[in-house]
Structure formats: structure tokens, C-alpha cells
Amino acid sequence: MSQNISALVNNAKAIKCLYYNEALSSSDISNYIGKSIPHAIKVLNELIKEGYVIEKGYASSSGGRKPLQYSLIPDTHYIVSVAISQFYIQIGILDMNNRFVADIVQHELELYDLKADNLIAEIEKYITQSGINSSKILGVGVTMPGFIDPVKGINYTHLDCKDTSLVDYMQQALSLPVFIENDSTAIALGEQKFGAAMYQDDAMVINLGWGIGLGMIVNGEIFRGHSGLAGEFSHIPLIKNGKLCKCGKHGCLETEASLIAIISKANEEIAQGQRSSLANYETIDADAIINEAVKGDMLSVKLISEAAYHIGQCLAILIHIMNPAIIIFSGKASVIGRLWMAPIQQAINEHCIPRLAAYTELVISNLNANAQLIGGAVLVVESIGKLLGDKIEALNKELDINQ
Amino acid sequence: MSQNISALVNNAKAIKCLYYNEALSSSDISNYIGKSIPHAIKVLNELIKEGYVIEKGYASSSGGRKPLQYSLIPDTHYIVSVAISQFYIQIGILDMNNRFVADIVQHELELYDLKADNLIAEIEKYITQSGINSSKILGVGVTMPGFIDPVKGINYTHLDCKDTSLVDYMQQALSLPVFIENDSTAIALGEQKFGAAMYQDDAMVINLGWGIGLGMIVNGEIFRGHSGLAGEFSHIPLIKNGKLCKCGKHGCLETEASLIAIISKANEEIAQGQRSSLANYETIDADAIINEAVKGDMLSVKLISEAAYHIGQCLAILIHIMNPAIIIFSGKASVIGRLWMAPIQQAINEHCIPRLAAYTELVISNLNANAQLIGGAVLVVESIGKLLGDKIEALNKELDINQ
DNA sequence: CAAACTTTTTTAAATTTTTAAAAAGATTAC
DNA sequence: GTAATCTTTTTAAAAATTTAAAAAAGTTTG
């Protein structure tokens, strides 16, 4: 049995890199899994026999024999991704080529009101409606705010499940493998494999949403810190004697620059009689401010610019400590990236050693609103080694019983 | 020849872990190099044949056959370590058990006046006086402030060597392998292998000296960032409209909390007639303030406390981003660690999410003033793979010529 | 003090992995 | 059109590495 384990690791690695690349040659795979070409070919042939992989014709060559291309067969398995944010949840299902194969659904559900049973019901409904056989689903990736231990499968901040872990509870109910991860970390995973952080070993991914999150990629891997709390970017103390934050401290970045903070400032200003097209809205929400800012409303632009400047101040600090190759703005609010960029860049220029600022690229994600859902799928793919391992263990148990 | 390379890697790894541990069993070595026990024993026997390693009797056992212990033979090779700081340089020589085998010498030499030829002459003199044959010296580790590329062997801030790199220039002159590294990074290396960061995968090492440096250990490895500038801790913007820093910005931590800043504040206060035992000194230097603070002089204590509080503020930010297991205070000024600790801890408590502060241990180095010198030696040991590789390459060239 | 249990060391066989050479397929230049 | 070049694939042999069992050397317990 132990001989299976090393083979398993290589097979899992090959599946992963094929998921992230859709077509690769034997030599590519050899590089990804760090083994010789004959070895890589052996692995690929095994995966073909097992039905995961298919030969996909020849790629072009710069002079020499054309390399045979290998791909995952898209419809062998599917991945369900669940993206939870402060005010709604989204569910999607992706095939083995990382393509959404059913419409993404969105439910308005406040995180603080959300119950695990609620969530499970929505996921079950979605899977049924998709028409995809449950046996073909590799796993469910759930990504959400909170302090999360992905190994233990617990969210310490939300969705407490009393005597069992959230992951165990959901696995039991859904009869499917479940994995959980923090939303900002998931977005970083998505950017790393399919977005602006591809081929980057040191990237900081800012999750511009109702809060301000940070996912860190260090030495090509997601960095979580010693107890999983690294990247608490939004609670960096910024303003002396600032507003009280829900974390218990005063003047955190989050109290000044999150969408929620911007909304509350907008309401204050309007109440004080400030002229703005926002006054025409019954309730001012994030979309209202974003829309009016795009249209040129002075107050909306001012509020976003001020928030962005504060974010830039904190980014300057982050750059001094981490010296990243790139900072990526992702998450819900990144779609209006242009509005944030100028004041952020200005704050960085003012507060950073010039050499450091010059070495750091700032970009807006091209994954748009889907970064978190994609990250949830990546989360499942990254766990494929574990999934295959569990399957083999189960098979071995059956064998033991039959003997 | 290629078969030598993989053997070489394992031999180098074995030598490294023996340097860091002074006596290990075959099973320990097997764990360190990540190979099976029979393989580890093979490596050890090779190293015994080559004269590096010796069997060192048996260790005790908790029930079972006693393990044979292996050690490096101390006097086969030596390492020269050169620690350069703002105002003086120190030179030491260590054996293969990481023990100083000659007195450490110290020269008062301002970094800005220092020339490479100067430095080389001092190193040559020191080696001659030590009486150790140059052929037995594995290499010279030079550690100093500045923005350093250890791979290219260049210090971009100090000791410019025009058309050649500092490392090439020194190697030519000394006829010995030379390695350079930033002082704070070297201190982190020293702490990682012999100090408070042993067995810690996520540690931040603060270099309390004339400036305030930071060496980062992330996932068990020194973290340098994308372009080698990570850990620019002392230039975190702290004070709004603060003093001008030599980096070009205003209000950096360094302008408020470094020993140099403290000295200048002390002079100001004394000039303004502030009562203090410091007034009895002709020139107030770091030692004066440290000594008087220890004796209880109010002004000295106040100055150090204020600086420490500012350092604590920045540490709170660092903790939010990195979530380290431990923060270690090392470097010259760490010997008066007790004086710093209370205000630092207070600032952290005030500015950190409680859960994060609780998970972070703060300790004072027990390597005292020698962390940088030890780090310089570690730097050479870490490069042993390269050294052995060069040796084999040279041998192969000779063989080619003879054939 | 002998039996039972632990741990380390040795050995030989099995397995994994790589290397290197040969074969095959494709491009380029003359 | 063909020789020269280049790259990928296949193959078989060689090398590296691990596994597992046996042997050796202790410790503990009743």
C-alpha cells in the first residue's frame, strides 16, 4: 500500500497542474511535478487509464517533434463552490477545466443570520437543479469571512456548530467532501492560479469588499502565519483616537475605509445637508455610491478617494515589510478599481521609500466578481491529494473486509 | 559527474545539521536530510572517510539499543566572521563546532569612512595572528548594514567596488571564499540556528542597534521579499510631519526610536537645561545613556521608554500582518532588554487585537552581542553546498586537463 | 535474571527514479 | 529536395533510494 502513496502524490500533482493549465506536454508536467520525463509519462498514462486525462493532439514546435498535449476530461468530475460574504451567498459549479457549467445563483442572506442548515439546504437545492449526479462531484469549497482553521474545518467567528466542526457537519449532511477557507485567502488562491498572481511568488491580494481583506502569497504559497491570523490588514491601527472598531480597538483601517464605513459617512454627510445625487436614494448602499461615483458625483468620489488614500497608507506599510512583487486589487469593489487607484498610488508615493514603491506593481484583478468562487474551486483542487488518499483508504478497507 | 551532485547535496545537508547540533544519531540525520536511515548512514560513512565527521560514542536510550552519535571534527576547518556596524567592525574565527577559537577583535571604524582595502587588511592581519593555516579556512562571512544582494555579492549602499562586486574583490584579495549578508538578516540567521528562533518557523528578529533592523523567518526560512528589500521596518511611517529621515521621508520609526535618535534627543534636552546625570558626560553616547538608564537616571529611562513605545507601535502593525510565533530582540542594545520590554509590551497591548497579541511571544536574545558574528558563520555554513560544489568542479577541471 | 519489550544497526531485496542512447517527428537552410 | 538541426518520445539499463526483515544491543519488569 505504501507504494501507492508516492504514486498518489505525483498523480495528484499532475491533476492539479492540468486543472490550472487545461493542456500541457509531458515535459511541462515533468517540470511541475519535479520528476523526469519518463516518470511524468508513466503518471499520465496511469491517469489516462483511470479516466481522468485525455490526449489532446499536438502543440506547435519551434523546430522539432511536436509535443503531445494532455488535458483533463472536463465532465468526469465537478466542483461546487460557495462564496459567502457579509450580505449574500453565491453558489457555482465548475468542471475539470475550471469552467462554470451552470448559472451562478445568488441569495441575499446576512452572514449573522445565516445558519449551517440553511446553507446546506441551498447547496443541496443548487446541486439538484444543476442536474449533475452527486457521485460526480469531487467536493464543495466554502469560502467566507471569519477566523478559519481549514485543517480542523472550523470557522471560529461564524456558523458555530457546537460539538462538531462546520466541515464535519456539512460533510455528514451533504455526503460530499467539504473544505472551508477564509474569503480573502480564497481570493488570493484564485488570483494565484487563474488571475494576476499567476507566476508570481510574492503577491499581496487586497479583497475590497464590505471589509478590507488581505490574502498573502509568500514564496509561491499562501501564507497564514503561525496561528492562521496573518494578514489582519484591516485592523492595522491607522487613526489616532479614531472610531471604535468591532475588534475592540480604535482607529483601525476598517473603520475608515471599508464600504460599510463609506456608507455610514455618506449618510452622515447627507444628513448634514451636503449636496449630492446620493440624496435621491431612499437607502444609500454600496452600489449607489459606486454608481454615483462613476457618474461623477463629488461626494461619492470624495468618500471613495479618502478611503483609498487610507488604504494606500496601510499598503505603504505593507510594502515596507513584505516587499511584494505585485499588489492585486480584487473582490467585489475592485470592479471600480480606477476610482481607487490614483489616491492609493499617491499615498504609496508619499509614504514609501521610492526604491520600494518603484519595485511594486499595482494591478486590478481581471477575475472581477468571480475571484472568490474560483478560489473556492481551487481550494477543492488543492485538496485532491487528500481526496484520492481517502478513496484509496476506503478501497483498502473494503478489501480487508472481503478477505 | 552528475551522480556526485545529489550525493553532494546530502553531504552538505548532513554537515550543516551537524554544525548546528554538535552531536546527532543516524536517525536524527535521516530526519534532517529527509532520507532513509540506511541512506543517512551511507552519507555519514562517506563524511567519516573524507575526514569531516567522527563517531562520538553512544547516547542514552529510553529503552533499546543506544544510538551511535556523530559529530563534526572541530579542527578540520574554520570560519572567519566579520561583523560591521555603523561605528566599528568585529572579527572572530570559529571552528566546526561553532566555538570561537581566538579572541574577537574590535576596531573603531565608521562605516562611511570604511574602504574595502582597509577591511581586507584587517581580516588578513587577524587570520595571520590567529595562527590558523589559511587552507583550513572554509570561508569568510561578512555582515553589514545596507541593501545587499547576497547572490550577486554586492552591497548597494556601502563599500562600492566600481567595476567588480565586493565579494569578487574580497575573494581575489584574500584567496578565500567570501559571502556577504545584511546585518539584521545575519542576526536572524544566528537566532534561527543557535538562538531563540531555534525550532520556530515564523519568527521576527529585531536588531536593536544604532538603527532598528528586522530579520524575518517565514516558513522556517529567511524571507527577503521580491527584490531583497523586505523588512524595512525602521522606515515604517509612524509620526505625522515627523523629522526628516535619511531615506528622504518624514516621521520614520528610525527618526524616533534608534539609538542615534535617542542620543540626539538627549543632547537637546540637556542643552535645554534638563536635569540628568547625563550632564556629567563630555560626549553623550549610547553607552552613557544605557549605563545611566540602568542606574535609574530619569531622563535616560524616559528617552528609552519613549523609543520603546514607538517600536511597540510598529511591532503591533508587524504582528497584524505576519502573525509570528515569536519576536526576538537581538543586537547590541538588546543587552538592556528589560528596559525596553515594558513599554513595548504596553504599546502592543494597546494597538493589537488581543487574540493576536496573546499568540505572540516576546523574548530577549541570549546570544547577546555575538548574534551578528554567529550569523556570519552560519552564512558560510549555509553556503557549504556551493563550496563543496566549487571544489568538485575544480577537481573535475584538473582531471580534464590531465586526460 | 530471564522474558518481554524497545530501539538501533545491518543486510539484502524490491522499488523508484533517472540517465543516456536511440528512434521518431518536425523545421530550416541551402 | 535533402541534409542538418532541433525537439519530443521511447526504451533499456543504471543508479539511487527505500522497505522490510533480521540481527544486535539495551532497558524494563515481574
Side-chain angles (χ1 to χ4, degrees):
Chain A
M1 189 197 143
S2 63
Q3 69 271 31
N4 287 337
I5 285 182
S6 128
L8 188 70
V9 170
N10 291 331
N11 289 14
K13 278 189 194 167
I15 291 177
K16 279 185 212 174
C17 66
L18 283 168
Y19 185 86
Y20 301 138
N21 287 283
E22 94 173 82
L24 293 172
S25 71
S26 57
S27 144
D28 296 330
I29 307 260
S30 154
N31 284 333
Y32 269 103
I33 68 178
K35 294 286 147 92
S36 65
I37 288 176
H39 195 169
I41 290 176
K42 201 180 117 202
V43 168
L44 283 166
N45 287 331
E46 262 173 52
L47 290 176
I48 288 174
K49 216 197 274 170
E50 288 171 23
Y52 286 93
V53 169
I54 193 172
E55 294 181 358
K56 215 38 181 315
Y58 297 91
S60 61
S61 158
S62 59
R65 185 169 175 172
K66 286 178 175 169
L68 192 50
Q69 300 271 98
Y70 299 84
S71 287
L72 289 181
I73 301 172
D75 58 357
T76 53
H77 297 89
Y78 297 90
I79 296 164
V80 174
S81 181
V82 182
I84 303 175
S85 71
Q86 209 78 37
F87 299 118
Y88 55 69
I89 71 171
Q90 286 186 314
I91 313 181
I93 187 162
L94 299 96
D95 67 12
M96 296 304 283
N97 280 347
N98 187 49
R99 294 211 177 84
F100 287 95
V101 292
D103 285 342
I104 297 164
V105 302
Q106 180 165 325
H107 301 279
E108 308 250 331
L109 270 171
E110 276 217 30
L111 178 54
Y112 291 96
D113 300 334
L114 185 63
K115 296 277 176 299
D117 289 323
N118 222 204
L119 183 63
I120 289 163
E122 294 294 357
I123 295 172
E124 270 177 337
K125 200 170 80 187
Y126 183 78
I127 292 175
T128 311
Q129 283 179 351
S130 78
I132 286 167
N133 192 307
S134 191
S135 68
K136 282 194 150 192
I137 293 173
L138 219 49
V140 181
V142 180
T143 55
M144 58 195 301
F147 172 39
I148 291 176
D149 186 328
V151 178
K152 290 192 187 148
I154 299 173
N155 185 335
Y156 291 100
T157 320
H158 304 289
L159 290 177
D160 182 42
C161 288
K162 284 164 192 164
D163 33 77
T164 177
S165 75
L166 177 59
V167 159
D168 280 343
Y169 189 77
M170 292 186 71
Q171 286 189 143
Q172 204 81 47
L174 291 168
S175 301
L176 284 171
V178 173
F179 304 93
I180 63 171
E181 183 55 274
N182 171 269
D183 55 346
S184 298
T185 308
I187 287 174
L189 265 177
E191 295 291 345
Q192 183 187 29
K193 303 302 185 186
F194 293 103
M198 278 197 284
Y199 323 114
Q200 295 286 181
D201 274 358
D202 294 286
M204 300 290 113
V205 181
I206 303 295
N207 175 15
L208 290 174
W210 275 286
I212 299 156
L214 170 63
M216 305 167 90
I217 298 167
V218 175
N219 288 331
E221 278 179 42
I222 294 290
F223 177 69
R224 295 189 165 80
H226 177 246
S227 36
L229 289 161
E232 274 296 353
F233 187 68
S234 60
H235 296 291
I236 288 181
L238 186 69
I239 309 283
K240 266 199 177 174
N241 307 318
K243 286 188 196 134
L244 178 66
C245 177
K246 62 174 191 263
C247 79
K249 295 184 304 145
H250 290 261
C252 298
L253 174 65
E254 185 146 310
T255 63
E256 292 297 325
S258 69
L259 280 184
I260 291 173
I262 292 176
I263 292 170
S264 105
K265 279 191 186 180
N267 281 314
E268 276 173 36
E269 298 254 12
I270 297 290
Q272 282 174 16
Q274 182 68 244
R275 290 181 57 160
S276 160
S277 51
L278 286 174
N280 303 328
Y281 287 79
E282 252 180 53
T283 53
I284 298 172
D285 60 6
D287 288 328
I289 297 175
I290 289 173
N291 287 336
E292 293 307 317
V294 170
K295 284 192 210 151
D297 173 58
M298 292 286 280
L299 176 62
S300 304
V301 170
K302 191 194 96 181
L303 290 172
I304 289 180
S305 296
E306 281 176 3
Y309 187 85
H310 286 312
I311 292 174
Q313 280 185 290
C314 285
L315 284 179
I317 294 172
L318 184 67
I319 291 172
H320 275 106
I321 293 173
M322 300 303 295
N323 178 211
I326 190 169
I327 295 178
I328 299 160
F329 298 93
S330 191
K332 177 191 164 61
S334 71
V335 289
I336 50 153
R338 312 260 162 279
L339 280 171
W340 304 90
M341 290 305 273
I344 285 177
Q345 184 70 63
Q346 192 187 339
I348 289 177
N349 290 344
E350 281 174 24
H351 297 285
C352 244
I353 299 179
R355 171 182 252 151
L356 262 170
Y359 278 147
T360 312
E361 198 183 341
L362 303 185
V363 302
I364 297 163
S365 168
N366 49 348
L367 259 33
N368 299 322
N370 286 337
Q372 192 178 338
L373 278 174
I374 291 173
V378 170
L379 175 65
V380 176
V381 172
E382 284 294 299
S383 314
I384 268 183
K386 190 183 165 330
L387 289 175
L388 292 179
D390 289 353
K391 216 171 260 179
I392 285 178
E393 210 171 281
L395 280 174
N396 279 323
K397 258 188 200 158
E398 255 179 62
L399 279 175
D400 280 354
I401 294 165
N402 294 348
Q403 273 173 2
Chain B
M1 190 197 143
S2 62
Q3 69 271 29
N4 287 337
I5 286 180
S6 127
L8 187 71
V9 170
N10 291 332
N11 288 15
K13 278 190 194 165
I15 291 177
K16 280 184 211 175
C17 67
L18 283 167
Y19 185 86
Y20 301 137
N21 287 284
E22 95 170 80
L24 293 172
S25 71
S26 58
S27 147
D28 296 330
I29 306 264
S30 156
N31 284 334
Y32 270 103
I33 68 177
K35 295 287 147 96
S36 66
I37 289 177
H39 195 169
I41 290 175
K42 203 182 115 200
V43 167
L44 283 166
N45 286 333
E46 260 173 54
L47 289 176
I48 290 174
K49 216 198 271 171
E50 288 171 23
Y52 286 92
V53 169
I54 193 170
E55 293 181 358
K56 208 67 180 289
Y58 298 91
S60 61
S61 158
S62 59
R65 182 168 174 173
K66 285 178 177 169
L68 192 49
Q69 300 270 98
Y70 299 84
S71 287
L72 289 181
I73 302 172
D75 58 357
T76 53
H77 299 89
Y78 297 90
I79 296 164
V80 174
S81 181
V82 182
I84 303 175
S85 71
Q86 210 78 36
F87 299 118
Y88 53 71
I89 71 173
Q90 285 187 314
I91 312 179
I93 188 162
L94 298 95
D95 67 13
M96 296 305 285
N97 280 348
N98 188 47
R99 294 213 177 83
F100 287 94
V101 291
D103 285 341
I104 296 164
V105 302
Q106 180 165 326
H107 300 279
E108 309 250 332
L109 270 171
E110 276 217 27
L111 178 54
Y112 292 96
D113 301 333
L114 186 63
K115 297 273 175 302
D117 289 322
N118 222 205
L119 183 62
I120 290 164
E122 293 295 357
I123 297 172
E124 270 177 336
K125 199 169 84 187
Y126 183 77
I127 293 175
T128 309
Q129 282 178 352
S130 78
I132 286 168
N133 191 308
S134 190
S135 68
K136 284 195 150 192
I137 293 174
L138 219 48
V140 181
V142 180
T143 56
M144 57 195 300
F147 172 40
I148 290 176
D149 186 328
V151 178
K152 289 192 187 149
I154 299 173
N155 185 335
Y156 291 100
T157 320
H158 303 288
L159 289 178
D160 181 45
C161 288
K162 283 166 195 164
D163 33 77
T164 179
S165 74
L166 177 59
V167 160
D168 280 344
Y169 189 79
M170 291 186 71
Q171 284 188 147
Q172 205 81 45
L174 291 168
S175 301
L176 283 171
V178 173
F179 304 92
I180 64 171
E181 184 55 273
N182 171 270
D183 55 347
S184 297
T185 307
I187 287 173
L189 265 176
E191 294 291 344
Q192 182 187 29
K193 302 303 184 184
F194 293 102
M198 277 197 285
Y199 323 112
Q200 294 286 180
D201 273 358
D202 294 285
M204 301 289 115
V205 182
I206 303 294
N207 174 15
L208 292 174
W210 275 285
I212 298 156
L214 169 64
M216 305 166 90
I217 297 167
V218 175
N219 288 332
E221 276 178 45
I222 293 291
F223 177 68
R224 294 189 165 81
H226 177 245
S227 36
L229 289 160
E232 273 297 352
F233 187 69
S234 60
H235 296 292
I236 288 182
L238 186 69
I239 309 284
K240 267 198 176 175
N241 309 317
K243 282 188 197 139
L244 177 68
C245 178
K246 63 173 190 263
C247 79
K249 296 184 303 145
H250 291 261
C252 299
L253 174 64
E254 186 146 310
T255 63
E256 293 296 326
S258 67
L259 279 185
I260 290 173
I262 294 176
I263 292 170
S264 105
K265 279 189 185 181
N267 280 314
E268 276 172 36
E269 298 253 14
I270 296 290
Q272 284 172 16
Q274 180 69 245
R275 289 181 60 161
S276 158
S277 53
L278 285 175
N280 304 328
Y281 287 77
E282 251 180 54
T283 53
I284 298 172
D285 59 7
D287 288 328
I289 297 175
I290 290 173
N291 286 337
E292 293 308 315
V294 171
K295 284 191 212 151
D297 173 58
M298 292 285 279
L299 177 62
S300 303
V301 170
K302 191 194 96 182
L303 290 172
I304 288 179
S305 296
E306 281 176 2
Y309 187 85
H310 286 311
I311 292 173
Q313 280 185 289
C314 286
L315 285 179
I317 295 174
L318 184 68
I319 292 171
H320 275 104
I321 293 173
M322 300 302 297
N323 179 210
I326 189 169
I327 295 177
I328 299 158
F329 298 92
S330 189
K332 177 189 164 62
S334 71
V335 290
I336 52 153
R338 311 262 161 276
L339 279 172
W340 304 90
M341 290 305 272
I344 284 177
Q345 185 70 63
Q346 193 187 337
I348 289 177
N349 290 344
E350 282 174 23
H351 296 285
C352 245
I353 300 179
R355 172 181 250 150
L356 262 171
Y359 279 147
T360 312
E361 195 184 344
L362 303 185
V363 303
I364 296 163
S365 168
N366 50 349
L367 258 33
N368 298 323
N370 286 338
Q372 192 177 338
L373 277 174
I374 290 171
V378 171
L379 174 66
V380 175
V381 172
E382 284 294 299
S383 313
I384 268 182
K386 190 185 166 329
L387 289 175
L388 291 178
D390 289 352
K391 217 172 258 179
I392 284 177
E393 209 171 282
L395 280 174
N396 279 324
K397 258 189 199 158
E398 254 178 63
L399 279 174
D400 281 353
I401 293 165
N402 294 350
Q403 271 173 0

